[in-house]
Amino acid sequence: MGSNSFRLEIAELSRGRYKRVDYLKETVRLGGGLDVHGLLTEEATQRGLACLARFAQRLKGFAAWQVRAVATQTLREARNRDAFLARANRVLGHPIEVVSGREEARLIFQGVSRLQPSDLPRLVIDIGGRSTEMILGQGRQAHQAESFGVGSVSLSLQHFPGGRFTATGFRAAQIAAGAEFEEALGTFDRALWQEALGSSGTVGAVSQILAASGVTDGTITAEALRWCIERCIEAGSMEDLQLPGLKPDRKAVLGGGLSILYTLLQHFRIEALRPAKGALRQGVIFDLEERLDAVRNHRLPDPRDLSVRELQSRFRVDAAQADRVRQRALLLWHSLAHPQARPDGEDARELGWAAALHEIGMMVSHHDHHRHSAYLLGHVDAPGFSQSQLRQLAVLVLGQRGELTKLVEHLGDDALMSQVLCLRLAIILHHARIALPARATALQRQRGRVVLSLSRRWAQEHPRTLHLLDEECRRWLAQANRRIEVQLT
């Protein structure tokens, strides 16, 4: 779900080979629907929902684990994105994840590197409607990935109002784009890469114009871009612009796209930019494949597991305690056998990640560390995770201790509150940072209550833990209207 277009790609993957089954694209211009207050207008919302309704028809018959939907810059910016997503999720019938700029860049590179493999150090550029991603990588590994808040829709609206092309407008647009990219001149220095590729709509559209006009073979150069800009200025407006290979739906954003491209080629000394095979949508499919492989074969890493370990190292987490809490929380979750758990196992995985990272806030302060942990998880860049999923983890770690009233807006979400319960109980059971026999606890639903079964012998040896559990039961009854009982066996 991009700022300019929504795209649906259906593919088959067999032994690493990618076969497209179907591809749908609609120009939605969601990015043009942000008002001066950063709110998505109802008109733009309706365009997006209508498109998703048509996509939902095509997705009938697909299981939840087969589908992944991601949204980019416009929904990163929109202040009312949660309201839009609530409606969009219902229409599409699948949860929509908002990905961070760096995660978008990582996924773009994954799509390009898998469909156009190379061992050369390469620069990959993707110009979207409201953001531009730049990635430096080699093979399948992205070494640097950045996202910049300038795109073909936003720049066109600002510098080419009413679709009018002027030399002054192009100069101003290039200066504005340059101001965004200037900080990255060292990061993507010309000496660090040997070939430059451009993915997705803007690069593809300009490449088609150049090839159809006989200016180049489709390769984008600074000289070829100057030719395009001169043709736009001569035409004076998008209505009067007639160029071979230019599709009507691209006219409204061509001025911004050309300005960004010319600025990138000049600033980063790109002699030739060639269209790439692969883009964000293919990267999302390959990433989904890796997740599914990790579920089927536990020896294979989920990209998110690698991110969790990196965050633990960065924030100097007590890894032994984190693993004790993680294993206990998952044992409790599985013994609880929650009826609303997602069939793909994502609830359990999220609980495990939250437990592994519940103490990252201690790097900031031991006091109220759960609040610091929640803030960090809600704002960190973590490859593999969407912003939506990181916010979910932030809610879980915020609820790991203290009053439950801070989760008042989530009390009606039984699955999430069960995750919170398992995490809180696991932390209490291991509060002394000691091991506990795996079979010493179990969590079960019994006639409208949740019962924690606890080894009597162990409980008698740890009276302080039993005291904390009794306090916890009283808190759940008073603040969440849920009966939690401890039963010694």
Side-chain angles (χ1 to χ4, degrees):
M1 293 168 56
S3 299
N4 193 48
S5 304
F6 285 11
R7 303 166 190 259
L8 168 64
E9 179 127 357
I10 299 173
E12 289 180 4
L13 289 171
S14 177
R15 299 180 181 177
R17 295 180 65 86
Y18 187 96
K19 177 185 177 182
R20 177 189 281 180
V21 174
D22 203 358
Y23 172 59
L24 305 176
K25 174 192 170 185
E26 292 194 20
T27 302
V28 177
R29 299 265 194 272
L30 197 69
L34 282 180
D35 64 20
V36 293
H37 304 292
L39 298 172
L40 203 57
T41 65
E42 183 60 23
E43 183 182 358
T45 296
Q46 289 300 329
R47 291 199 301 270
L49 296 179
C51 175
L52 292 178
R54 288 185 284 274
F55 284 2
Q57 291 297 314
R58 182 62 183 85
L59 290 173
K60 282 185 175 180
F62 283 84
W65 60 268
Q66 292 176 286
V67 180
R68 189 172 177 209
V70 301
T72 59
Q73 183 67 21
T74 294
L75 289 177
R76 290 197 285 267
E77 291 183 49
R79 292 171 55 198
N80 57 342
R81 76 172 184 182
D82 290 343
F84 173 84
L85 288 172
R87 298 167 70 180
N89 289 339
R90 288 194 298 270
V91 170
L92 184 63
H94 296 276
I96 298 164
E97 306 172 53
V98 180
V99 294
S100 71
R102 283 181 176 170
E103 176 63 4
E104 181 181 352
R106 185 189 74 85
L107 291 170
I108 290 166
F109 190 82
Q110 191 163 2
V112 172
S113 64
R114 291 283 294 269
L115 290 183
Q116 193 167 338
S118 170
D119 291 327
L120 292 176
R122 53 181 20 173
L123 174 68
V124 175
I125 292 167
D126 187 296
I127 301 170
R130 293 190 73 90
S131 68
T132 296
E133 281 66 48
M134 297 181 67
I135 313 99
L136 196 65
Q138 189 169 11
R140 291 188 183 178
Q141 185 63 42
H143 302 306
Q144 293 285 347
E146 294 293 343
S147 180
F148 304 90
V150 58
S152 60
V153 172
S154 55
L155 210 61
S156 294
L157 288 172
Q158 186 175 359
H159 296 285
F160 306 100
R164 295 187 301 275
F165 296 127
T166 65
T168 301
F170 275 104
R171 281 194 297 272
Q174 290 163 27
I175 290 171
E180 291 286 338
F181 299 130
E182 207 161 29
E183 63 183 79
L185 290 175
T187 305
F188 300 100
D189 186 84
R190 182 63 185 85
L192 300 175
W193 50 270
Q194 293 182 26
E195 69 171 347
L197 300 173
S199 77
S200 206
T202 295
V203 170
V206 173
S207 175
Q208 288 173 11
I209 292 170
L210 296 176
S213 302
V215 177
T216 71
D217 62 357
T219 300
I220 298 172
T221 65
E223 182 180 0
L225 289 173
R226 284 193 291 270
W227 179 88
C228 284
I229 291 170
E230 287 168 3
R231 301 292 80 74
C232 290
I233 295 171
E234 286 176 2
S237 70
M238 66 178 188
E239 289 87 358
D240 296 327
L241 182 62
Q242 300 297 327
L243 286 174
L246 175 60
K247 296 177 181 177
D249 65 339
R250 274 284 153 189
K251 287 187 176 184
V253 297
L254 183 62
L258 288 171
S259 299
I260 293 170
L261 273 172
Y262 188 73
T263 303
L264 288 169
L265 265 62
Q266 291 292 83
H267 276 48
F268 296 95
R269 293 185 292 149
I270 301 171
E271 298 90 357
L273 181 71
R274 294 179 175 84
K277 297 177 183 177
L280 174 61
R281 59 190 182 277
Q282 289 91 4
V284 170
I285 290 176
F286 287 124
D287 198 60
L288 179 58
E289 177 197 32
E290 288 186 6
R291 292 184 180 188
L292 296 174
D293 285 345
V295 171
R296 289 189 289 258
N297 183 350
H298 294 294
R299 289 176 296 180
L300 295 174
D302 184 307
R304 295 167 293 182
D305 293 328
L306 301 177
S307 287
V308 168
R309 289 197 287 273
E310 194 277 329
L311 288 171
Q312 284 183 319
S313 175
R314 189 194 313 177
F315 292 102
R316 300 180 188 175
V317 167
D318 180 344
Q321 173 65 2
D323 193 55
R324 284 190 288 266
V325 171
R326 183 186 66 82
Q327 292 192 44
R328 183 65 49 186
L330 291 176
L331 282 172
L332 295 174
W333 175 261
H334 291 306
S335 67
L336 187 62
H338 195 279
Q340 295 180 7
R342 283 174 280 179
D344 57 5
E346 282 290 279
D347 289 312
R349 297 178 73 78
E350 286 174 357
L351 175 60
W353 293 321
L357 298 171
H358 76 280
E359 289 188 337
I360 63 172
M362 284 192 174
M363 172 64 81
V364 179
S365 172
H366 279 238
H367 178 68
D368 276 353
H369 72 82
H370 60 297
R371 297 187 183 276
H372 303 309
S373 296
Y375 179 85
L376 289 170
L377 279 173
H379 294 82
V380 74
D381 279 326
F385 286 99
S386 66
Q387 288 185 335
S388 312
Q389 196 159 45
L390 288 171
R391 290 169 69 190
Q392 180 85 348
L393 298 186
V395 171
L396 292 178
V397 300
L398 179 64
Q400 69 179 275
R401 58 184 294 187
E403 305 304 313
L404 292 166
T405 50
K406 60 180 173 284
L407 300 179
V408 62
E409 63 182 284
H410 303 286
L411 293 180
D413 187 338
D414 194 49
L416 183 141
M417 292 308 295
S418 295
Q419 289 174 303
V420 170
L421 174 63
C422 292
L423 180 58
R424 289 171 72 100
L425 291 177
I427 290 170
I428 291 172
L429 289 166
H430 292 282
H431 77 100
R433 296 180 183 265
I434 57 174
L436 171 65
R439 296 183 179 179
T441 63
L443 202 58
Q444 294 178 316
R445 298 177 187 277
Q446 295 181 6
R447 299 177 182 177
R449 59 181 179 164
V450 176
V451 177
L452 174 67
S453 301
L454 187 61
S455 164
R456 183 182 298 276
R457 180 178 178 182
W458 189 89
Q460 289 172 342
E461 294 172 356
H462 298 85
R464 287 180 289 275
T465 302
L466 199 58
H467 166 73
L468 292 173
L469 288 172
D470 288 339
E471 283 192 334
E472 184 70 3
C473 293
R474 287 193 290 271
R475 182 174 285 118
W476 278 87
L477 184 60
Q479 298 177 8
N481 195 30
R482 294 169 188 251
R483 290 183 61 196
I484 315 295
E485 296 181 9
V486 177
Q487 189 175 86
L488 302 184
T489 60

